[in-house]
Amino acid sequence: KAGVTQTPRYLIKTRGQQVTLSCSPISGHRSVSWYQQTPGQGLQFLFEYFSETQRNKGNFPGRFSGRQFSNSRSEMNVSTLELGDSALYLCASSPFAGVGVGETQYFGPGTRLLVL
Amino acid sequence: AQKITQTQPGMFVQEKEAVTLDCTYDTSDQSYGLFWYKQPSSGEMIFLIYQGSYDEQNATEGRYSLNFQKARKSANLVISASQLGDSAMYFCAMSPGANSKLTFGKGITLSVRP
């Protein structure tokens, strides 16, 4: 079974631009979560989508948004990029919502975003 | 709110020896899950092991075992027979029951020496 895939793997943007990252979950998985990883803040939860609905949201500004399609693929968008948005963006999928009850999240390889 | 604490800045272990990576957590939830992930330099987070808060036995997955001490709120990862490929960052994470939001610790760098 194919793992979680993320595209693109690397991205360079300039301040003020916007960017869209894509995540395809493991086949059959309906929950997709996004995380941001930076050296200073570590791994931080962005949001989770399940059945095309945002189920959870982390403490990020409204510039960060996402959506999920009927095939469970998800995209996240960052508008008006800032230097501090440079990070590794990780997507994770699980069969259902509710990791704490035993459904493990499986991560993709991530998208490295550099904002100049 | 949940909090994960990983205080070991970096660990070194000789190949074929066992190593313990520490993790303590704080939560007011009764039901929660504890996870360990490995992150090589490539960046991908690799799931290693899971422990549920109501599981009475410690979880094991091959060379990985989780030393779960609920009263002390600790969930240490034990890697037996270390291999060179085990060199990576290791993250402890938790999630409250029925919630997919993972809270991660700062991570521990493990270096395996030949």
Side-chain angles (χ1 to χ4, degrees), chain B residues 6-112:
Chain B
Q6 295 181 264
T7 57
Q8 297 161 309
M11 293 284 288
F12 293 88
V13 66
Q14 207 68 29
E15 193 178 8
K16 299 181 184 176
E17 291 186 349
V19 63
T20 298
L21 306 181
D22 296 340
C23 172
T24 58
Y25 62 92
D26 190 23
T27 182
S28 56
D29 294 296
Q30 296 301 309
S31 175
Y32 50 89
L34 295 158
F35 304 80
W36 277 92
Y37 286 87
K38 170 185 176 182
Q39 187 177 43
S41 56
S42 61
E44 184 174 1
M45 297 287 281
I46 302 168
F47 166 73
L48 297 177
I49 197 166
Y50 163 83
Q51 177 86 41
S53 58
Y54 290 116
D55 294 340
E56 295 186 352
Q57 290 195 325
N58 288 339
T60 60
E61 289 284 352
R63 295 186 299 112
Y64 305 105
S65 60
L66 199 152
N67 184 359
F68 180 46
Q69 298 187 43
K70 194 170 182 177
R72 296 181 59 187
K73 294 189 174 179
S74 75
N76 298 339
L77 176 70
V78 180
I79 305 174
S80 63
S82 297
Q83 302 172 355
L84 296 178
D86 292 336
S87 294
M89 280 282 285
Y90 288 80
F91 290 92
C92 179
M94 74 175 297
S95 178
N99 188 316
S100 292
K101 174 184 173 181
L102 283 171
T103 298
F104 286 87
K106 294 292 186 185
I108 302 167
T109 302
L110 176 66
S111 299
V112 181

Side-chain angles (χ1 to χ4, degrees), chain A residues 9 31 33 35 37 40-41 43 45 48 55-56 88 90 94 96-102 104-109 112, chain B residues 31-33 35 37 39-47 50 52 91 95-106:
Chain A
R9 293 293 311 279
S31 173
S33 296
Y35 295 83
Q37 185 177 23
Q41 298 298 317
L43 279 148
F45 172 79
E48 180 209 358
R55 193 167 174 270
N56 268 310
L88 176 66
L90 290 160
S94 60
F96 307 102
V99 176
V101 295
T104 299
Q105 285 189 359
Y106 295 92
F107 284 79
R112 290 190 185 274
Chain B
S31 175
Y32 50 89
F35 304 80
Y37 286 87
Q39 187 177 43
S41 56
S42 61
E44 184 174 1
M45 297 287 281
I46 302 168
F47 166 73
Y50 163 83
F91 290 92
S95 178
N99 188 316
S100 292
K101 174 184 173 181
L102 283 171
T103 298
F104 286 87
K106 294 292 186 185

